[in-house]
Amino acid sequence: MSPEFRFVVVADTHINETEDASRSPFETNRLSNGRARHVFEQIALLDPAPRFIAHLGDIVQPLPSLPTFHEAAARFREIAAICPVPVRLVPGNHDVGDKRVSWMPADHVCDAYLAEYRALFGSDFYAFDEGGYRFLAVNAQLLNSGLADEERQKAWLEAELRDPDARPGFLFLHYPPYIYRPDERSHYDNIDQPARAWLLELIRGSKVQAVFSGHVHNFWYDTIGDADFYMLPSTAFVRH
């Protein structure tokens, strides 16, 4: 049986502002642009072409606080332009700042970083329809942030997923709700409580068929209620 249509999911490209340098101390980050370019070139060869590409965040390597953020965004647009289909973006912690806990290694998500992201890439949470399905892009860094937009996103997502007439759908976000267990402790690679429990309950009671997340730079699979839950590896590098 042939599929109704297909889409491609890409995660954590970590694009640098130049082709041969990176602000990261890790040598593998210097290779991110070339690796992302190879991925988008392969997507461009698909026949039939996908309806769209979903990018799960960490689009670029430099944070919005750095002057190279805009340059890296321009490099990403150049690399992705080879694909003649829409690229649906989700913000990662490199794109809008880390989740708001004291021990995170980089700057926290804030209104100023959100404004920078929106100016360059557009909305950080939104929905779109394709082929009779509903696709939801969620800004995971807003969860538990205390920012005004956290409540705005929460109300929007509840309205989308609790609608009894909603279409079957798919959810894209950067941080996974959890890795091994829904009740695991908070750490670098998951969504903290209480937003984690809220999100999982919302998904379980919805028509979401699959959840896709990045950030962990490795593949993992689980189920959330009736939904498949995928964590996807980065195009840039695998974390040990």
Side-chain angles (χ1 to χ4, degrees):
M1 184 176 68
S2 62
E4 298 176 42
F5 65 92
R6 61 180 170 180
F7 59 91
V8 173
V9 186
V10 171
D12 297 83
T13 48
H14 287 267
I15 298 299
N16 299 301
E17 62 273 19
T18 63
E19 294 298 293
D20 56 357
S22 174
R23 297 180 67 91
S24 169
F26 302 106
E27 174 65 13
T28 190
N29 280 98
R30 189 179 60 80
L31 306 175
S32 294
N33 291 28
R35 290 172 173 175
R37 183 173 289 103
H38 174 75
V39 167
F40 279 94
E41 287 172 349
Q42 293 301 303
I43 296 170
L45 294 174
L46 292 175
D47 184 18
R51 294 282 185 90
F52 64 88
I53 301 165
H55 192 305
L56 301 179
D58 281 3
I59 304 163
V60 299
Q61 175 67 19
L63 289 163
S65 58
L66 296 173
T68 51
F69 181 71
H70 285 244
E71 296 174 60
R75 296 294 81 71
F76 171 77
R77 283 193 289 268
E78 290 174 4
I79 290 169
I82 191 173
C83 294
V85 298
V87 180
R88 308 289 189 173
L89 300 174
V90 175
N93 53 303
H94 275 260
D95 310 315
V96 296
D98 281 342
K99 63 181 184 179
R100 293 176 69 91
V101 289
S102 61
W103 41 264
M104 292 300 278
D107 296 341
H108 294 163
V109 60
C110 62
D111 290 330
Y113 292 172
L114 291 171
E116 284 285 326
Y117 176 89
R118 291 164 184 164
L120 285 175
F121 296 115
S123 299
D124 52 310
F125 60 91
Y126 57 93
F128 62 97
D129 295 313
E130 187 68 59
Y133 294 90
R134 189 74 164 164
F135 295 87
L136 305 170
V138 174
N139 182 349
Q141 290 70 239
L142 279 177
L143 301 177
N144 301 305
S145 69
L147 298 172
D149 282 324
E150 179 183 3
E151 288 303 315
R152 188 165 65 90
Q153 176 177 249
K154 182 177 180 180
W156 163 77
L157 192 57
E158 287 180 344
E160 287 280 350
L161 296 187
R162 288 176 176 165
D163 181 358
D165 298 321
R167 297 178 177 186
F170 298 83
L171 193 150
F172 305 122
L173 72 169
H174 184 63
Y175 287 125
Y178 63 90
I179 294 182
Y180 296 112
R181 296 167 51 95
D183 61 351
E184 68 192 19
R185 66 176 179 82
S186 295
H187 53 72
Y188 179 73
D189 287 324
N190 62 16
I191 294 173
D192 298 326
Q193 299 288 15
R196 184 198 309 169
W198 165 81
L199 180 61
L200 292 175
E201 181 182 3
L202 197 58
I203 293 169
R204 290 188 187 105
S206 73
K207 296 179 183 178
V208 169
Q209 296 189 341
V211 178
F212 297 90
S213 68
H215 184 65
V216 184
H217 288 223
N218 282 275
F219 180 80
W220 192 256
Y221 171 84
D222 200 2
T223 57
I224 302 174
D226 294 328
D228 295 305
F229 171 32
Y230 300 95
M231 284 181 285
L232 300 187
S234 164
T235 66
F237 60 93
V238 174
R239 266 207 277 130
H240 299 294

